[in-house]
Amino acid sequence: MIGAVILLILLYGINNILFNSFKNKFKWFDSRKVNYVFLYHLLFFLVYYTYAYFAPSDSKMYFERPTYSQNWLDYYGTSTTFIDFVSWPFLNVFGFNYEMMMLLYAWFGFIGFLYAYLFFRENIPIKITVFKNFDFLTLILFLPNMHFWTASLGKGAPIFLGLMMFAYAIKSPKDRWVTLLLASIITYHIRPHVFLFVAAGTVLGYMTGKEKIAWWKKMLVYVIMIGSLIVVQDTILGMAGLNESDDLIQEFETFSDERAGELSDSGSGVDMANYSLPVKLFTFWFRPLFFDAPGVLGIIVSLENLIYLLLFFKILKKGFLKFLKNSPVSVKMSLTTFFLASLAMSFVMSNLGIIIRQKSMVMYFLFFVIYYFLAQQKYDKIIKLKKARKLQMQS
């Protein structure tokens, strides 16, 4: 435990360096709010650590596996293997214990929230309140389910970090190419199929976004993203055993049915095989709700899912499609990434416990679209009021 305390002090120092760097870059950066997010995230690190102490947890396997071999390169690969690859030097060179590894990965999760804050705040300067007096950005930064699944040793924290780094960097890829490259490496190695969705969303966003972007910049993004997908296509398809398939659609349907069947056998399984597509998506996005909550954790998650549902209702308006048509790259990228990931995972997820964990990595993309839509509506109202006042003064 002493090692974890020392590591916490070190990480706190690194946080301050990062905060000062972003504060010098962005006048609007609120280091106090981000520090509150850090303390809140530490609380969930303690909650998850306590949970893992008394219950079976994948974090224990993630801690043990990298010590089986003295050759670091034995662990290089995608999915679970890449987490072992990242952990190996901390365990075998720096001698981290279990508590230190849990804290390190919880910090990775926090840095994901830091980049989420930057992503939202840079793109949406207008303050929005929801549910009468709740600040939208503050609300989504403190959602408990998001923190719980990104506060422990495993895939959750680094994949969230990779996705939020990518979302932040794509606004200015020329200036943030190092961040973009690192984010792509992290996302691809942990979940290759999610990297596919992000790349597709980025290409679509640059093709249809309202910004006037030089053709050579668009071509650069297209070449990099499409080229990356071509290079890694075998790995992505290999995740589902489709890399040697002659009929991708049929093979994917078979894989989906098998995977859904395996997951539905567990305690919180739901029979999604016969659900229509809208019901599958609703299940992935908003369940469990109170009527099917698995245990105490499920009730807490149900409350959070109710917030998701109420926020989702805010874009079910006539003006949303018009907004979407004229929206910027960041909005179209976010919506495409969110929808493609949801579509793919809703076909293979049939366990509410796994759904709760998996959707945490993509829900922020939906929140961004909702936030931007509400901000655009508010901005349009402000412009109309200013024009009306100007006409009054002239008359």
Side-chain angles (χ1 to χ4, degrees), residues 171-186:
K171 182 177 178 64
S172 183
K174 181 182 176 182
D175 299 325
R176 302 170 185 174
W177 68 269
V178 174
T179 304
L180 185 62
L181 178 62
L182 181 59
S184 299
I185 290 171
I186 293 171

Side-chain angles (χ1 to χ4, degrees), residues 344-368:
M345 287 190 280
S346 65
F347 274 94
V348 298
M349 298 291 160
S350 295
N351 177 278
L352 291 178
I354 295 176
I355 286 173
I356 291 169
R357 182 186 307 182
Q358 294 291 329
K359 71 180 177 185
S360 63
M361 67 179 171
V362 295
M363 289 305 292
Y364 265 57
F365 290 109
L366 174 63
F367 298 153
F368 181 81

Side-chain angles (χ1 to χ4, degrees), residues 30 158 260:
D30 188 348

Side-chain angles (χ1 to χ4, degrees), residues 6-300:
I6 295 172
L7 178 61
L8 178 59
I9 295 171
L10 177 62
L11 295 176
Y12 183 76
I14 295 174
N15 283 352
N16 284 328
I17 294 172
L18 289 173
F19 296 171
N20 288 332
S21 174
F22 286 123
K23 204 167 185 178
N24 291 332
K25 192 171 184 180
F26 304 115
K27 292 181 180 179
W28 44 258
F29 187 84
D30 188 348
S31 54
R32 177 182 292 184
K33 174 176 282 189
V34 181
N35 257 320
Y36 285 147
V37 175
F38 178 59
L39 293 174
Y40 186 71
H41 196 67
L42 284 179
L43 173 64
F44 279 88
F45 154 70
L46 294 173
V47 170
Y48 198 100
Y49 176 75
T50 305
Y51 164 79
Y53 186 83
F54 291 103
S57 171
D58 291 344
S59 61
K60 295 171 184 176
M61 292 186 293
Y62 280 114
F63 176 72
E64 293 174 1
R65 260 196 319 261
T67 62
Y68 294 162
S69 174
Q70 294 302 307
N71 185 358
W72 189 11
L73 293 179
D74 285 348
Y75 294 98
Y76 179 74
T78 57
S79 192
T80 301
T81 307
F82 184 69
I83 303 301
D84 298 337
F85 178 78
V86 172
S87 299
W88 190 93
F90 294 101
L91 289 167
N92 296 285
V93 177
F94 300 111
F96 277 29
N97 57 30
Y98 177 70
E99 289 79 13
M100 294 173 74
M101 290 301 295
M102 289 283 281
L103 178 59
L104 176 68
Y105 274 77
W107 183 73
F108 290 160
F110 162 70
I111 298 300
F113 283 98
L114 171 61
Y115 276 102
Y117 168 73
L118 294 169
F119 172 48
F120 278 76
R121 189 66 180 79
E122 182 181 24
N123 286 281
I124 313 171
I126 298 176
K127 183 177 179 179
I128 297 295
T129 56
V130 291
F131 311 133
K132 292 189 177 180
N133 56 359
F134 285 94
D135 177 64
F136 195 125
L137 183 55
T138 302
L139 175 66
I140 61 177
L141 285 175
F142 287 89
L143 289 170
N145 187 53
M146 296 294 182
H147 286 270
F148 185 79
W149 296 114
T150 56
S152 67
L153 174 56
K155 294 179 185 176
I159 187 61
F160 180 66
L161 169 61
L163 288 170
M164 292 301 101
M165 286 176 68
F166 190 99
Y168 163 76
I170 203 63
K171 182 177 178 64
S172 183
K174 181 182 176 182
D175 299 325
R176 302 170 185 174
W177 68 269
V178 174
T179 304
L180 185 62
L181 178 62
L182 181 59
S184 299
I185 290 171
I186 293 171
T187 304
Y188 163 70
H189 279 89
I190 299 176
R191 297 203 183 277
H193 56 290
V194 175
F195 177 73
L196 166 67
F197 307 143
V198 171
T202 302
V203 171
L204 180 64
Y206 270 87
M207 285 175 62
T208 61
K210 71 174 183 179
E211 297 95 335
K212 292 182 179 179
I213 302 172
W215 68 268
W216 66 268
K217 289 184 179 180
K218 288 188 175 184
M219 287 304 298
L220 182 62
V221 172
Y222 300 159
V223 169
I224 291 174
M225 289 301 168
I226 295 173
S228 299
L229 291 177
I230 293 172
V231 170
V232 302
Q233 62 176 329
D234 287 342
T235 303
I236 294 172
L237 293 174
M239 293 293 291
L242 305 176
N243 50 324
E244 296 181 357
S245 174
D246 294 324
D247 189 343
L248 282 176
I249 296 176
Q250 181 61 44
E251 291 289 347
F252 177 74
E253 288 177 353
T254 303
F255 168 77
S256 300
D257 290 342
E258 291 175 354
R259 182 64 174 156
E262 292 170 4
L263 294 174
S264 64
D265 289 337
S266 31
S268 57
V270 289
D271 183 15
M272 288 175 64
N274 297 318
Y275 286 178
S276 64
L277 179 58
V279 177
K280 283 183 178 180
L281 290 173
F282 181 89
T283 299
F284 180 73
W285 293 338
F286 306 122
R287 288 178 65 187
L289 288 170
F290 298 100
F291 63 88
D292 58 2
V296 176
L297 178 61
I299 294 174
I300 297 172

